[in-house]
Every structure is written in C-alpha cells, then in structure tokens.
Amino acid sequence: MAAVAARGCGGVWRRAWQHGAGGPRPSSRGQRAAASSARGAVVPVGKSGLAPWVPVVGLEIHAQISSNSKLFSGSQVQFAAPPNSLVSFFDASLPGTLPVLNRRCVEAAVMTGLALNCSINKKSLFDRKHYFYADLPAGYQITQQRVPIAVNGSLSYSLCIDNKMSQMVTKTVRIKQIQLEQDSGKSLHDDTRSQTLVDLNRAGVGLMEVVMEPDMCCGEEAAAAVRELQLILQTLGSSQAVMAEGQLRVDANVSVHHPGEPYGVRTEVKNINSIRFLAKAVDYEIQRQIEELENGGTILNETRAFDSKLGCTVPMRDKEGKQDYRFMPEPNLPPLILYDAKSLPANMNHQQVVNIDWIHERLPDLPSVTRAKLVERYGILPEHSFALLNEDGLTEFFENVVKQTQMKPKKVIGWILNVLLSYLKQHSLTVKESPVSSVLMADLLNLLEKKEISSTAAKQVLAELWKGEGKTPLEIVKEKKLELIQDQKELEQICQAVIDGQENEVMAIKAGNLKVLNKLIGLVQRETQGRSNPVLVKQLLEKKLSE
C-alpha cells in the first residue's frame, strides 16, 4: 500500500492511491487541489475539473484522566497491570454496588474545560448509554449526554504551509463539549484459538470526551489540533495523553460535499491511536468518499477502522444513532454541582466542593503562552519554540544548557535541534533517556564558544559523549588531541602548503572566483584534522593569496 499524505488544507494528492488485493477500489487518478492552504480554502477538485469537493472533518477525542483511581470506584489505575487485577465489585457490575464520583476526575475535567475556553456548567447530569459488548459488564456506560460538564470552547492550533516550518498559519476549532464518562474494558482477540479474552482493568477508568465541531478539512489540520490538545492535557496534568498506551484515542467524522450544498453523509473512523495515523486515515477517507461518489456510488453512514498496515479504512459496522443507545438519566447519581467564588456558601466545607475559580487561578501557562515566552526571552524563531515543546523535556533541557553556557541562545538552539535531537531520533530515545546531560552539553558548547575547539571537533566530542563512558568534554578533547592549533606560525605553514599544492584553485581565486576559497579552507581543516579555526584560516589564506 502506497499512500500520499495531504499537503495543506483539503489535501493535494499528486499520485493515485494503490491498494492491495481485497482492498478498496483503486483510484483511476489522483485528485488535484485549488487555492491556497494559507487561506484554508483548498478543496479537492473532481475528475471533470469543474466540481470541487469540500471535505468536512470533526473529531471526538477520548482522554484518559490522570488519576490514581477510577471514575466511580476505588480501583487503582495502572497501565499494563496483570489482566483483571484492578477490578472492584462495581467495575464488574455485581448487584447492589453503587457509583461514587471521583473528585479528582471532576477537577481535571474543569481544568481542561477552562484551558479550552469552555463555559463550565455549574450543574451537569449523568446518563446511561446502553450497548451490549463483552467488555462492558453493566450493559451500559455512565456518561454525560444531556448536560455535560463543559460546553462552547475553542482550541487554537498552528500548522505549516507546504511542510515549511518557517511558514505557519494559526487556525481555530470550536469545542462543542467536554463530558465525563467511564472507559470500557478491553477485548483481546486470539485468532489462533478462535477465542476472545476480556480484561476489565480499564473498565470504569475516567475519561474526558472532547467533542470538536466539524471545522477542519484535512488530515493535517486534524493532526495539528490533536497534537496541540495533547500538549495542553500534558501541561495541565489532567491526562498523560500517551497515545501508545491508549490514554488518548481519536474518532474522526469525515464527509465531503459540493460548495453550497448540505454536508454529505459522514463516516466515523474509530479508535485511532496515533497522530500520524490520524492524518493518514482522514486523508484516505476523504479520497475514498470522493472516488466513490464520482463513480456513481453512495456513502454509507457507517463506522470504519483504519488499517495502519494497508494504509486504508475498512468497514466495521453500521453507525448507531442516539435512539440505538437508549439514553436515560443515571438514577444512582445526583446532579453534579460546581461552585465559583460568588456562589460558594459561606458555611460550605471547601474540601467537599469543587470551586471553578480556585482551579482557574492555578492554571499553568499553556503551550501557546510558553512558546511566546521562549521566543521573547531567548530571541529564537517561532518555529524553534514549536520544536522545543513537541519533544517532552526538550524545553527544560534547552533552558538548562542556556543557563550554564556562555553561548548565545540563538546558537544553542541550533545545536539542540539540529545535532542533539537528530541523535535522539536516530536511536529512538527520549530527552530524558539521553546519555548526554544538559551539563555535559553546556560544557561542550563552552569549549566551542571560547574557541578552544572547532565546530567539527565539537561534533566529534559529542559522538564520544554519546557512548556514555563518563568522560567530560575537556577530557575527550585532550585524549583525542582536538584542541585548536594556537600557534599561528604553524597554521600559516599549513595554509602555505595547501596553496602550493592547489595551483588551479589559486588561479581561479585570483581570477575572481572567490567560492573556490572554501575548498582551500576545507583542505586546511583536513590537514589539521578539524583543529583549525575556519575564520582564522580564511583570513590567513586571503592574506597569502593577496601577496
């Protein structure tokens, strides 16, 4: 399966999609796009070139609340615990057990709602959503369908134009609501033995469902919005939001229509557990629907899954409507009442209520604010601030290096993003797993800033530091004899020897081709094994060539 990711809003498809045997119908040719992604008006154009298609994308995001216990029981929450080891009587739906609401989960939902510019409902209600599956013992899920805890918010996110970090545009997606609900258990399908095993450890874990309005139009936008939400959740501490551990799962609703016409029939792509897969799934589904309609077919209101190996969506089941879930008020839970500074009674025990204003006052800086502060404080480019925040722990690493080195932040950021980060990605390590600490990195950059080593030598030292043998940068420099040559006479002799051996290059330089001088500088660097200062070498060569 070869697939192309959409570029810009709405997608620019430059190759036809290819499918393996048994997959969806192959595309006759790729779709083209018009207008500028900076305006957010790109729409895929039909085969005739006359009938544009407008893609519409809305998201439902389930974020697992970071809490020691579940939403309505005291069972512990722990990833990868032995199957069915964290299940209370209530989680297993034994008769006579009753739900007890977890205060921490409520506070996390309020905090998230405030960070997403939502109105917090001082009175919200719980409902039962019925469906029957092996990993839902009660036969219903406790959720908030009628009056959720937060409504009418917004999320601003940024994305690159044509994959250029230096060209970014900010967009906003409306948040319809945030609701509290239980997670279900997990079904493990064993195809070899033709059986399904059920693990109820996850059953009852607190979730926040963030429902986004259909304000997006391609996979790139959906991915950017979810990534920004993920950073916000992690900053707040309301969710760890690790997609690989199922702590953040995305359902994408996708449809296409012609301009001026009603929205088309939507499909829902369920349980996407990767931001990269989200972008691919949305773009594939847009393309599939366009192809289907242009070939005279119809779009079914169905639930689909994204097959990451084939790179395509596949049907799961018909889409349920509200009537299928038979919603009803949860009889065992009273309305959830929240307070603010004005409505809080004077004699109320503060430990027994949730105060919206108290939570609002304690909100940390959100990613957008942190990025702006980084740009202002260190004079780095806006795209650099995005790169720092996108890697967990990299901002702290950068700031620690800046504090301990004499090098200017604008130069430090280059070493962090271009050199250190490439090492980390090459070895699939996180910042916290880096064998090169911020202290060692600062010591290395200090040697470079003091002109005791060249940038070439600095990269050699970093490669040695990466081995984690406990040596300091200075020890490595002395051991490998990487110090810059301080004897100018010695350097002049080396420069003269290079000039004497490169007659054609010397003639070219004297004829006015100054670019050739870079070759001579490189030859001197090779002769000195990177131990010469390129600036000084250039000055010496220019002086000798002018004689």
Side-chain angles (χ1 to χ4, degrees), residues 402-416:
V402 170
K403 290 175 185 175
Q404 300 170 80
T405 183
Q406 299 168 12
M407 183 177 283
K408 292 183 178 180
K410 286 184 179 181
K411 292 175 67 176
V412 173
I413 194 71
W415 279 88
I416 298 295

Side-chain angles (χ1 to χ4, degrees), residues 7 31 59 73 103 151 237 242 298 303 325 352 361 367 381 386 395 443 454 475 481 516 536 541 543:
R7 184 180 62 125
Q31 305 296 329
L59 302 177
S73 80
R103 177 194 176 106
V151 294
V242 180
T298 58
T303 298
Y325 290 125
Q352 295 179 340
E361 290 169 2
L381 297 173
F386 277 88
T395 301
D443 288 346
S454 67
E475 289 172 343
K481 297 181 179 179
V516 180
L536 179 57
L541 287 172
K543 180 180 178 182

Side-chain angles (χ1 to χ4, degrees), residues 91-236:
D91 303 329
S93 297
L94 268 62
T97 55
L98 295 172
V100 178
L101 183 57
N102 183 335
R103 177 194 176 106
R104 159 62 188 164
C105 292
V106 174
E107 291 177 337
V110 171
M111 188 186 307
T112 303
L114 292 171
L116 295 177
N117 307 301
C118 291
S119 297
I120 307 298
N121 284 324
K122 293 181 183 177
K123 178 181 179 181
S124 58
L125 306 173
F126 289 98
D127 306 275
R128 290 184 180 182
K129 175 182 179 181
H130 293 80
Y131 62 93
F132 295 96
Y133 205 67
D135 57 17
L136 193 70
Y140 62 84
Q141 175 193 45
I142 301 178
T143 182
Q144 292 186 307
Q145 190 263 336
R146 293 169 295 160
V147 185
I149 194 167
V151 294
N152 301 331
S154 63
L155 170 67
S156 294
Y157 61 95
S158 298
L159 68 160
C160 307
I161 299 175
D162 293 337
N163 293 322
K164 296 177 181 177
M165 282 296 291
S166 58
Q167 299 180 29
M168 305 191 77
V169 61
T170 299
K171 298 196 172 187
T172 301
V173 58
R174 292 170 296 157
I175 306 295
K176 180 181 180 182
Q177 64 190 56
I178 299 174
Q179 60 198 50
L180 284 166
E181 63 184 29
Q182 297 170 296
D183 205 347
S184 60
K186 189 174 183 180
S187 295
L188 307 171
H189 304 289
D190 188 342
D191 295 332
T192 305
R193 300 180 181 178
S194 299
Q195 64 181 5
T196 295
L197 304 175
V198 178
D199 180 7
L200 294 180
N201 279 348
R202 201 175 67 185
V205 169
L207 295 179
M208 292 177 288
E209 181 177 357
V210 181
V211 182
M212 294 183 177
E213 296 283 10
D215 294 340
M216 293 162 282
C217 60
C218 64
E220 184 182 2
E221 286 193 5
V226 171
R227 177 55 180 150
E228 187 69 9
L229 175 63
Q230 184 183 43
L231 286 173
I232 289 172
L233 294 173
Q234 291 170 343
T235 300
L236 297 174

Side-chain angles (χ1 to χ4, degrees), residues 255-382:
S255 70
V256 298
H257 66 281
H258 291 301
E261 295 183 357
Y263 284 1
V265 176
R266 68 182 173 93
T267 59
E268 182 181 33
V269 187
K270 291 284 287 185
N271 290 330
I272 305 170
N273 61 357
S274 154
I275 290 177
R276 184 166 57 92
F277 291 162
L278 171 63
K280 289 185 175 182
V282 168
D283 288 335
Y284 175 89
E285 187 59 20
I286 291 170
Q287 173 72 1
R288 183 193 72 82
Q289 291 187 22
I290 292 172
E291 291 293 329
E292 185 69 32
L293 292 170
E294 293 199 340
N295 284 302
T298 58
I299 303 301
L300 301 177
N301 184 212
E302 63 181 351
T303 298
R304 300 175 71 87
F306 180 66
D307 189 319
S308 58
K309 293 181 180 178
L310 295 177
C312 64
T313 63
V314 294
M316 290 175 64
R317 61 179 183 270
D318 291 341
K319 178 65 180 165
E320 299 93 341
K322 284 186 178 180
Q323 68 278 3
D324 296 316
Y325 290 125
R326 295 180 294 113
F327 283 104
M328 62 170 282
E330 169 55 58
N332 294 323
L333 283 168
L336 173 57
I337 306 298
L338 306 178
Y339 297 87
D340 58 17
K342 292 181 180 179
S343 62
L344 186 66
N347 59 348
M348 181 69 73
N349 185 338
H350 291 257
Q351 299 299 319
Q352 295 179 340
V353 299
V354 173
N355 187 329
I356 300 169
D357 289 337
W358 187 88
I359 294 174
H360 192 275
E361 290 169 2
R362 285 157 180 78
L363 284 179
D365 283 346
L366 297 180
S368 58
V369 175
T370 301
R371 284 190 285 260
K373 286 184 176 180
L374 287 170
V375 170
E376 182 181 357
R377 185 179 302 154
Y378 300 110
I380 61 176
L381 297 173

Side-chain angles (χ1 to χ4, degrees), residues 70 74-89 91 198-203:
K70 296 182 181 180
S75 294
Q76 187 181 355
V77 176
Q78 180 185 335
F79 178 70
N84 296 309
S85 62
L86 306 175
V87 185
S88 71
F89 290 156
D91 303 329
V198 178
D199 180 7
L200 294 180
N201 279 348
R202 201 175 67 185

Side-chain angles (χ1 to χ4, degrees), residues 461 464-465 471-480 482:
V461 174
E464 291 296 318
L465 288 172
K471 299 175 183 176
T472 66
L474 184 57
E475 289 172 343
I476 294 171
V477 167
K478 291 182 177 178
E479 180 183 308
K480 300 288 183 180
L482 296 174

